Amino acid sequence: MGNWVVNHWFSALFLAVWLGLNVFLFVDAFLKYEKADKYFYTREILGPSLACARASALCLNFNSMLILLPVCRNLLSFLRGTCSFCSRTLRKQLDHNLTFHKLVAYMICLHTAIHIIAHLFNFHRYSRTRQATDGSLASILSGLSHGEKEGGSWLNPIQSPDMTVEYVTFTSIAGLTGVIMTIALILMVTSATKFMRRSYFEVFWYTHHLFVFYILGLAIHGIGGIVRGQTEESMNENHPHECAESFQKWDDHDSHCRSPQFEGHPPESWKWILAPVILYIFERILRFYRSQQKVVITKVVMHPSKVLELQMNKRGFSMEVGQYIFVNCPSISLLEWHPFTLTSAPEEDFFSIHVRAAGDWTENLIRAFEQQDSSIPRIEVDGPFGTVSEDVFQYEVAMLVGAGIGVTPFASILKSIWYKFQHGDHDLKTQKAGHAALNFDKATDIVTGLKQKTSFGRPMWDNEFSTIATSHPKSVVGVFLCGPQTLAKSLRKCCHRYSSLDPRKVQFYFNKENF
Amino acid sequence: MGQIEWAMWANEQALASGLILITGGIVATAGQFTQWYFGAYSIAAGVFVCLLEYPRGKRAKGSTMERCGQRYMTAVVKLFGPLTRNYYIRAVLHLLLSVPAGFLLATILGTACLAIASGIYLLAAVRGEQWTPIEPASPREGGMAGRAHHQHRPSNPPPRPPAEARKKARATAGGSPRAAPRPTRVPVTDEVV
């Protein structure tokens, strides 16, 4: 337990703050709509489902604001760069951006469900009181008419007793945008399950662009002002605490209570999402701008096991170790951008990627380059974006584990370490770097070209970890993995087990690449 | 886009629609909304759709991740033969099932989602896709998935380092308990995290 805390305290804190804010916003809005006098008459018709709907709406606004931020990769790279003085733990948080994006998405789904269910009850109650003829306060309030000279002192959006809730849903802006947003959300979620992403990435990528409809829908969802509260002036003429009882006598000559007047809110969702939307638009513009820059392919190498190496040049391109780029090949697909780790070192005068055939797009790419008679396809590049491998040099001892094509980030690191040793770089803290490449093909590493001891088969991690722990008893060891989930579990367990509780003794920090 | 199996997405969408139908149905029935009996229908339809769609079909290319515990339903769904294998039938079935739920606001979302799933199934059917059950793993595959106990020592596997290095390693390690390196015969599916 202690080791878990050491490795994860910042994540836990961050999530606790996020959850706490969600709970706070929910409860705050709930109490406001449940207790405020302004909504007394509204509650008379709707009951507690009003407060439920509004509370979940506020949480939806909050989370919709947050959801775009973790995928603004340039923003994250910028934060990582400016925060170089920050502790490693803080910067590691930025690697979990996709996890956070998913968590926020789940929260949005949860609050969407609460919001819709609450509004179903709201519409049902509005409809019922509109049709009621029992002369109750609720039915009187429902009957306050629309389209009066004051601009509508109405409370109930259902204008006549034979108007159905379905009609109101599909003819009001709030209802229609709500349906569109929810369907977009559901389609995004079903195409984004892990199975779909791994098997059919294009379906996920294209469908996920439905978020545009979600954002647009959210921005105009509240325009109709369907949620009504009593106006200030009306509260002076008809305060609920004094006048609610005597509702049959409103507007009578001898009564001092007038009929209440209601107004809707102006929409407020756009205020929440405006800044992230602008940031994200910048990100896409930046991607487009970068895609227009010329990429010169200097060398193409076809490796065994259908691995294609592309060495390229681009003006103004500079990278750090282990960063990744997004690559687009217009002749294969105009809109698809796929991430690849850079396998070259920053010290080299080109940058390279190794691409393995793992789906439609990669197979088409390899096929396009295999044809020697036709001209080389054009490539567009966006990036580089930083991931955890940048931190490798901050550890005294680095343990790099790569499985299959997952060796690519570490290729870059090892080459860079080699160059740094050559040039006598004093900033290099790393004294020892061990590389386990779980790679069944050749004795010479196909990626780096370095002759090194490559271990074949499955290592006994406990042995490896205890050896390192005993030979470096006071060091901070960074364990870096790019590989499958099962391997991540074993390594993470070993990191916890072999990290000493005493922060001065050996500490294993586990870092995992994820795309 | 050439090799997308649309049926896989249709399956996810239909499963989600089933859950949405159940939820909408419960809300309508519990809240005793007008015409709440459509809600009761929606619960039944939702349960049926979920049961039908829970067992994921086998992918034509590559390995398929089974859903937890799906083999029980796979056995049942398999029994209906062509009725469940054919995606045209599924498309029509889902479309018909979705219609009654469209009369109630609480369940109309389920209708829309199931109708979309029906459309995707139609696309899958047009492209000649079929539902194939995922059979339980064969003994050979099952053995490979386990630890090293069942492994037979290969006589001359490709990835071994040259003989001198092996002899040297064995001499220095002094018979370490390390498992012998073995090549996998099963195609390795890369699940890069």
Side-chain angles (χ1 to χ4, degrees):
Chain A
M1 178 67 200
N3 291 321
W4 185 90
V5 171
V6 161
N7 278 331
H8 292 114
W9 69 271
F10 191 77
S11 306
L13 183 63
F14 186 81
L15 286 177
V17 167
W18 170 67
L19 279 172
L21 277 173
N22 272 293
V23 169
F24 169 73
L25 287 171
F26 190 93
V27 171
D28 187 59
F30 188 89
L31 289 176
K32 174 177 155 200
Y33 281 86
E34 190 65 2
K35 303 282 179 208
D37 292 332
K38 186 173 173 184
Y39 299 103
F40 184 93
Y41 290 123
T42 324
R43 283 198 297 278
E44 192 59 35
I45 302 180
L46 297 179
S49 50
L50 167 72
C52 272
R54 298 306 307 154
S56 55
L58 184 59
C59 286
L60 280 171
N61 283 338
F62 174 59
N63 285 299
S64 300
M65 171 185 79
L66 291 180
I67 192 129
L68 278 175
L69 297 175
V71 288
C72 290
R73 289 186 174 84
N74 288 296
L75 174 67
L76 296 181
S77 290
F78 173 73
L79 286 174
R80 195 181 281 113
T82 46
C83 249
S84 47
F85 55 87
C86 289
S87 78
R88 191 182 301 135
T89 0
L90 266 124
R91 276 180 296 142
K92 262 197 339 166
Q93 210 43 43
L94 295 170
D95 305 323
H96 302 147
N97 57 332
L98 288 178
T99 315
F100 187 59
H101 180 81
K102 288 176 213 169
L103 281 174
V104 174
Y106 288 138
M107 192 60 100
I108 287 183
C109 290
L110 173 67
H111 281 297
T112 303
I114 298 176
H115 189 74
I116 294 179
I117 293 176
H119 273 318
L120 284 171
F121 277 98
N122 286 339
F123 270 3
H124 164 72
R125 285 179 180 146
Y126 269 144
S127 175
R128 205 180 47 184
T129 54
R130 180 45 110 169
Q131 289 162 2
T133 47
D134 53 0
S136 62
L137 173 57
S139 64
I140 302 276
L141 289 167
S142 281
L144 294 172
S145 54
H146 288 247
E148 285 188 349
K149 28 194 200 306
E150 291 101 49
S153 61
W154 54 274
L155 176 56
N156 191 333
I158 301 185
Q159 294 175 12
S160 74
D162 30 64
M163 199 183 271
T164 60
V165 292
E166 289 85 7
Y167 179 83
V168 176
T169 303
F170 287 98
T171 52
S172 63
I173 293 185
L176 194 55
T177 51
V179 171
I180 292 175
M181 277 198 280
T182 313
I183 293 183
L185 182 66
I186 292 171
L187 286 172
M188 277 197 277
V189 169
T190 57
S191 60
T193 59
K194 188 162 182 184
F195 174 69
M196 289 300 295
R197 270 181 293 127
R198 296 292 165 216
S199 317
Y200 312 107
F201 189 82
E202 293 92 348
V203 173
F204 156 67
W205 176 246
Y206 286 117
T207 318
H208 229 64
H209 283 80
L210 286 171
F211 78 88
V212 173
F213 290 102
Y214 177 84
I215 295 286
L216 285 175
L218 187 60
I220 59 176
H221 188 61
I223 280 186
I226 288 190
V227 178
R228 320 270 291 178
Q230 219 177 339
T231 60
E232 276 292 322
E233 313 172 355
S234 172
M235 299 275 274
N236 296 331
E237 300 171 346
N238 178 335
H239 197 279
H241 292 164
E242 297 158 11
C243 294
E245 304 284 307
S246 55
F247 63 90
Q248 277 123 345
K249 298 218 251 352
W250 285 341
D251 291 329
D252 279 357
H253 304 293
D254 50 350
S255 160
H256 57 274
C257 292
R258 314 252 102 206
S259 284
Q261 308 278 312
F262 297 95
E263 62 181 358
H265 304 147
E268 54 173 51
S269 297
W270 66 270
K271 295 180 200 163
W272 289 88
I273 58 175
L274 187 63
V277 165
I278 290 179
L279 278 172
Y280 189 75
I281 291 178
F282 271 148
E283 290 271 335
R284 295 301 285 253
I285 291 178
L286 196 54
R287 168 171 290 188
F288 179 73
Y289 171 69
R290 285 202 183 128
S291 74
Q292 298 305 105
Q293 292 170 323
K294 195 161 154 58
V295 173
V296 176
I297 299 180
T298 53
K299 193 165 166 192
V300 176
V301 183
M302 198 50 96
H303 291 284
S305 324
K306 294 196 91 170
V307 172
L308 168 75
E309 177 184 351
L310 288 177
Q311 293 184 2
M312 299 170 272
N313 263 322
K314 191 168 105 150
R315 198 144 56 109
F317 185 89
S318 81
M319 60 168 276
E320 300 284 324
V321 287
Q323 287 195 299
Y324 65 96
I325 52 172
F326 273 87
V327 174
N328 174 308
C329 189
S331 57
I332 299 176
S333 169
L334 271 178
L335 295 176
E336 289 176 44
W337 288 82
H338 293 265
F340 293 97
T341 314
L342 290 162
T343 46
S344 55
E347 291 84 0
E348 291 171 316
D349 57 1
F350 59 86
F351 63 95
S352 69
I353 56 172
H354 281 65
V355 178
R356 181 180 65 90
D360 288 352
W361 190 88
T362 38
E363 283 183 14
N364 284 331
L365 187 76
I366 291 176
R367 204 173 306 137
F369 277 92
E370 263 173 348
Q371 285 159 1
Q372 311 212 327
D373 44 345
S374 47
S375 58
I376 293 183
R378 189 167 78 94
I379 292 280
E380 296 174 355
V381 161
D382 186 22
F385 301 110
T387 60
V388 70
S389 309
E390 282 182 307
D391 299 333
V392 167
F393 301 132
Q394 308 300 319
Y395 290 94
E396 294 163 32
V397 182
M399 195 167 146
L400 313 171
V401 183
I405 200 66
V407 304
T408 43
F410 307 127
S412 171
I413 293 168
L414 288 173
K415 281 202 264 192
S416 186
I417 292 179
W418 187 83
Y419 279 110
K420 285 198 195 328
F421 271 140
Q422 293 276 309
H423 301 142
D425 189 336
H426 296 294
D427 283 332
L428 181 64
K429 261 197 198 162
T430 315
Q431 288 148 19
K432 204 166 177 103
H435 184 202
L438 302 169
N439 183 328
F440 294 119
D441 276 1
K442 287 183 132 207
T444 320
D445 189 24
I446 60 167
V447 177
T448 60
L450 296 174
K451 274 206 192 55
Q452 54 182 333
K453 193 170 54 155
T454 330
S455 313
F456 300 106
R458 206 171 288 180
M460 301 276 276
W461 296 116
D462 280 306
N463 287 354
E464 305 287 339
F465 273 81
S466 60
T467 319
I468 293 182
T470 36
S471 47
H472 304 274
K474 289 224 179 70
S475 308
V476 179
V477 181
V479 177
F480 293 84
L481 167 72
C482 188
Q485 189 65 19
T486 37
L487 194 48
K489 277 202 203 115
S490 327
L491 289 179
R492 194 177 272 130
K493 252 197 287 197
C494 284
C495 282
H496 288 155
R497 200 179 303 150
Y498 289 94
S499 284
S500 155
L501 276 170
D502 182 353
R504 292 167 303 170
K505 300 228 184 80
V506 66
Q507 294 294 321
F508 286 90
Y509 281 100
F510 179 70
N511 299 276
K512 182 168 69 73
E513 289 263 0
N514 62 306
F515 283 126
Chain B
M1 286 282 223
Q3 293 175 29
I4 295 172
E5 288 175 64
W6 295 100
M8 294 293 145
W9 185 24
N11 171 265
E12 302 276 336
Q13 180 69 16
L15 193 58
S17 313
L19 293 170
I20 294 170
L21 279 170
I22 295 176
T23 314
I26 292 178
V27 169
T29 319
Q32 292 284 292
F33 292 173
T34 346
Q35 297 182 308
W36 62 268
Y37 37 85
F38 281 116
Y41 162 81
S42 181
I43 298 176
V47 170
F48 174 74
V49 167
C50 280
L51 288 174
L52 174 63
E53 298 289 341
Y54 189 72
R56 192 179 268 143
K58 195 157 157 210
R59 281 173 68 193
K61 223 178 95 151
S63 68
T64 320
M65 269 163 55
E66 273 192 34
R67 290 203 178 101
C68 179
Q70 80 167 42
R71 51 199 172 95
Y72 305 106
M73 274 317 297
T74 308
V76 176
V77 173
K78 228 170 55 170
L79 282 175
F80 290 89
L83 280 181
T84 43
R85 210 170 38 227
N86 188 309
Y87 284 142
Y88 280 110
I89 297 184
R90 270 204 211 197
V92 170
L93 175 69
H94 286 325
L95 194 60
L96 292 176
L97 282 174
S98 67
V99 167
F103 288 104
L104 203 57
L105 184 62
T107 51
I108 208 171
L109 187 63
T111 301
C113 290
L114 194 56
I116 292 176
S118 160
I120 308 176
Y121 265 131
L122 187 63
L123 178 59
V126 161
R127 290 170 43 93
E129 294 174 30
Q130 273 205 20
W131 187 84
T132 345
I134 301 180
E135 304 295 346
S138 62
R140 190 190 63 149
E141 287 191 30
M144 284 291 173
R147 297 306 275 176
H149 321 293
H150 309 297
Q151 300 310 316
H152 52 274
R153 286 217 171 200
S155 52
N156 192 21
R160 273 183 185 269
E164 317 86 59
R166 246 186 298 148
K167 282 197 204 113
K168 232 187 276 175
R170 218 171 277 146
T172 48
S176 72
R178 200 180 254 241
R182 64 211 172 277
T184 50
R185 298 276 153 78
V186 186
V188 178
T189 52
D190 282 275
E191 294 259 321
V192 178
V193 176

